[in-house]
Amino acid sequence: MEKEFVKAITPRSEDFSQWYVDVVLKAELADYAPVKGCIVFRPYGYTIWEYIQAELDRRFKETGHVNAYFPLFVPESFFRREAEHVAGFSPQVAWVTRGGDEDLAERLAVRPTSETVIGVMYAKWIQSYRDLPVLINQWCNVVRWEKATRPFIRTTEFLWQEGHTCHRTAAEAEEEALRMLEVYRSFVEDYLSIPVIPGEKSAGERFAGAERTYTIEGLMGDRRALQCATSHFLGQNFARSFDIKFLDVDGQLKYVWQTSWGISTRIVGALIMVHGDDRGLVLPPTVAPHQVVVVPIVGRDSERVLAASREVTDRLRGRFRVKLDDRPEFSPGWKFNDWEMRGVPLRLEIGPRDLAAEQVTAARRDTGERTALPLSRLEEGVAELLDEVHRGLYRRALEFRQAHTHEAGDLASLRAIMEGPRGFIRAHWCEKPGCEERIKEETGATIRCLPFGEQGEGRCVLCGEPARQVVYLARAY
Amino acid sequence: MEKEFVKAITPRSEDFSQWYVDVVLKAELADYAPVKGCIVFRPYGYTIWEYIQAELDRRFKETGHVNAYFPLFVPESFFRREAEHVAGFSPQVAWVTRGGDEDLAERLAVRPTSETVIGVMYAKWIQSYRDLPVLINQWCNVVRWEKATRPFIRTTEFLWQEGHTCHRTAAEAEEEALRMLEVYRSFVEDYLSIPVIPGEKSAGERFAGAERTYTIEGLMGDRRALQCATSHFLGQNFARSFDIKFLDVDGQLKYVWQTSWGISTRIVGALIMVHGDDRGLVLPPTVAPHQVVVVPIVGRDSERVLAASREVTDRLRGRFRVKLDDRPEFSPGWKFNDWEMRGVPLRLEIGPRDLAAEQVTAARRDTGERTALPLSRLEEGVAELLDEVHRGLYRRALEFRQAHTHEAGDLASLRAIMEGPRGFIRAHWCEKPGCEERIKEETGATIRCLPFGEQGEGRCVLCGEPARQVVYLARAY
């Protein structure tokens, strides 16, 4: 039975894509919904999202933001006001055309993002420079009609937060856009143990309606890149379309400067793809629904073992999210596999020998390493091990990314990397859209970002013209 | 300016309905959205909802529930599976008929509630008695196409939570339905200071598809009733329609027994209508975005007054949600009115005389009472006063309800009460649907609930036949 259990997950090395779906379904993170392209976030997966939400929300509030909630529906006329925006999002919109027993006079877009409906309200609320800055965030569901979907990574409906801010000056808005990118970077790196490359998007990859889009890009276990979060400097584009004006200190009526920024449930997909291994999910302790699982090794002396397991669990509860697995119908080995597959960072085994030695045996999920932990320093020992797992995951992911980041000087070497080891490719680009397009056509790689502070002499990887701009390229989700 | 400000709110006694809308808009709790029947939850209003969510979520988890997230859309064929349910909800459904560039083969209902889509998943997840109970809750938005809307109380889109549980036996499900009603009752009474009458709904007022609906009913300031939360014993109705079966301990395949239960942003409307007064909103300290506002009374000695105000604010921060209003452009009087209108439970005034006496002057929002609070016992004093406001609000609301609860023995007296003092009317009912309908036609009152444990000899308020069942009647939102 145990063997069969482990076999149930396709090895990651064999078929990454199938491994991913296996982990999502078997760890009960999500399930396919009876609606095309939608998933159900099952309790185990949703709990991870709850921890992500709680920590991000804390960081947003710490940086002065407040939450609000805007309508799910956007009347078509408002949706159409910002030309680039509507062009970018129209192909992905779900439309409500009937309400109750009547056909609607005007179709309602199910929000794919909320710049438009929020713009209408901001125009009403903002009059004077005293009303600025407006620093509002919203946690909600959005819908984008997608052709090819994948649990967490790309689904028709997903959950996210979208920040929407208004400022007096361009500089302030720019500062805000970068501040929020940094909030995302530190959250994703420090909290989720996922190393990312922060930078700017090329014009071709910009958010529809933005002047500049900033991004953090991570490298998944299959050496494809994933955009983990974005922050946009919107300039005055939406302000003009929605007439969001304020009376400035100098008595002049001016358009506000805006930003928007978002991170979605897609990041749960990143967690799976960056940290997971052949045995299944591996979770950083920060977002693990259970940080520690206690497994009694019953055989002889099972009464005492169970009592000690309960005692250990009770000692840890309050300080850690700990679960005692005392189900009599499963063997310890089966439980080991089950909790490993579900990514629990630390397992504590308690058997008769541990009892005799006044210890527990701790097994780390990330390395598989087992160590004896004296009961006398149980809490400190668990805290240290969890911390080591947390830091170890980041280190391992960073090493993986470093090992899979290559330099390419021309198209031939770029193509060779894409057909071989893949990963991130660092190259120079002349900033011509034509070269960007041809790179994609020829190799499947896209410009993931123009990294901050990395410029220098070089030649465009495609056309060979002199180019100062460094870019990271990758095949992306 | 100050006079004008207070005048901006229609007195509650003069026009309750207009007063309500004035408070909602001027306290910036919500605003009308550019979508028919929808509102925007502005940060001040949404923050109240966040505190409500956080506390309820804690109580749900304490009673063993976990959160999940199911899709917004329900394919029409699933939506139509439970006959009573679809009959009840169909007139209120918004339909998505187009996605991206194509007309959909099957229309998608925007969920008005999620029993159906959740039923599909439960059928898939539940196999054995070992999988039971399933205790899942969901926080989400729902849409019901409404003709007449009112901010918070009845809106096309609203926010809520919906619990959906499955059990082995009818008794367990019944116990769960009543447990969650009790969670709602204690939350609404103890946390929001709103007294409610718990009981069962008549068959005519039951949730579409339920076998029994339990409710808690509150009395608003205009002596109309508001259903504050409901909990349903669904029996096996949805289990049969969605084929949710499990292999029981006895080896038999059986349908599960289900419950569902919900509370929505409507409760924010109840907070406004129960506690508010002519000066505006009155918030219980538990859910007030600012529990304490510190207002420096500057004039002479303004430097020292401001310094002392900052010091007081700093001392309170961490333990209370405190705001220092040091805006130089507004007078203390204007600020008093402003924060009273926004319902802040406690105001601390600090002027030169307070400085000299080493005290602050505390003003309670609920009673307007002002007392000197020595700086030496600032924290304890504030804690005590907030606690008094909290308990005072409940007491006042309970007294109001008691003063507006009447007995009616026959239709004439019922009509007289409804045309006169209104409020809750306690009466007997023979349990015939015909009598229930005629009561409504003749008086506008509906049976709000059959209260628990109140039975006894009497005669039906309509037909005069002997009746043991006691009911509470009222005109309701």
Side-chain angles (χ1 to χ4, degrees), chain A residues 31 40 42-43, chain B residues 70 120-127 131 136:
Chain A
D31 200 354
V40 174
R42 298 189 72 169
Chain B
F70 296 85
V120 177
M121 302 313 296
Y122 281 179
K124 200 170 158 187
W125 297 343
I126 296 168
Q127 266 106 47
D131 300 324
I136 288 181

Side-chain angles (χ1 to χ4, degrees), chain B residues 129 132-134 165-177 212 233-236 246 248-250 254-259:
Chain B
Y129 70 93
L132 298 174
V134 170
T165 70
C166 298
H167 306 265
R168 254 194 77 224
T169 65
E172 258 187 48
E174 172 73 12
E175 196 186 311
E176 166 79 2
R212 278 191 287 282
F233 171 74
L234 301 175
Q236 295 179 314
F246 69 102
D248 204 356
V249 269
D250 59 10
K254 297 175 186 173
Y255 289 113
V256 299
W257 297 85
Q258 291 186 281
T259 80

Side-chain angles (χ1 to χ4, degrees), chain B residues 219-341:
Chain B
L219 193 65
M220 304 297 103
D222 61 349
R223 291 154 291 146
R224 284 171 70 175
L226 186 93
Q227 175 181 303
C228 293
T230 49
S231 181
H232 316 292
F233 171 74
L234 301 175
Q236 295 179 314
N237 291 340
F238 289 90
R240 284 177 203 280
S241 303
F242 290 91
D243 206 32
I244 316 172
K245 278 187 274 200
F246 69 102
L247 201 64
D248 204 356
V249 269
D250 59 10
Q252 301 290 307
L253 210 55
K254 297 175 186 173
Y255 289 113
V256 299
W257 297 85
Q258 291 186 281
T259 80
S260 68
W261 29 274
I263 191 169
S264 77
T265 36
R266 154 176 263 218
I267 199 70
V268 178
L271 273 175
I272 302 168
M273 293 200 287
V274 167
H275 299 311
D277 62 20
D278 277 356
R279 304 185 74 79
L281 192 62
V282 181
L283 289 171
T286 44
V287 295
H290 313 299
Q291 297 172 311
V292 181
V293 60
V294 177
V295 180
I297 315 294
V298 291
R300 58 186 173 83
D301 232 355
S302 61
E303 278 308 303
R304 277 188 60 221
V305 165
L306 278 172
S309 300
R310 274 191 287 267
E311 206 177 300
V312 162
T313 307
D314 289 343
R315 272 178 69 182
L316 297 176
R317 189 170 287 142
R319 183 152 168 202
F320 306 100
R321 297 191 290 270
V322 58
K323 178 157 185 87
L324 170 66
D325 186 355
D326 56 2
R327 291 176 291 178
E329 68 267 34
F330 297 110
S331 72
W334 193 95
K335 291 176 185 176
F336 292 0
N337 286 334
D338 191 40
W339 294 114
E340 282 177 2
M341 188 265 291

Side-chain angles (χ1 to χ4, degrees), chain A residues 31-32 34-35 41 43 50 61 67-69 72-73 75 91 93 95 97-98 100 124-125 130 141 157 329, chain B residues 31-32 34-35 41 43 50 61 67-69 72-73 75 91 93 95 97-98 100 121 124-125 130 141 157 329:
Chain A
D31 200 354
Y32 292 108
V35 192
F41 297 81
E50 286 185 294
K61 283 174 178 158
N67 290 329
Y69 186 78
L72 172 67
F73 298 141
V93 171
W95 294 99
T97 60
R98 208 176 152 78
K124 201 172 158 187
W125 296 343
R130 287 185 200 276
N141 54 344
E157 181 190 8
E329 68 266 33
Chain B
D31 200 354
Y32 291 108
V35 192
F41 297 80
E50 286 185 294
K61 284 172 178 161
N67 289 330
Y69 186 79
L72 172 67
F73 299 140
V93 171
W95 294 99
T97 60
R98 207 175 155 79
M121 302 313 296
K124 200 170 158 187
W125 297 343
R130 286 186 201 276
N141 54 344
E157 182 190 8
E329 68 267 34

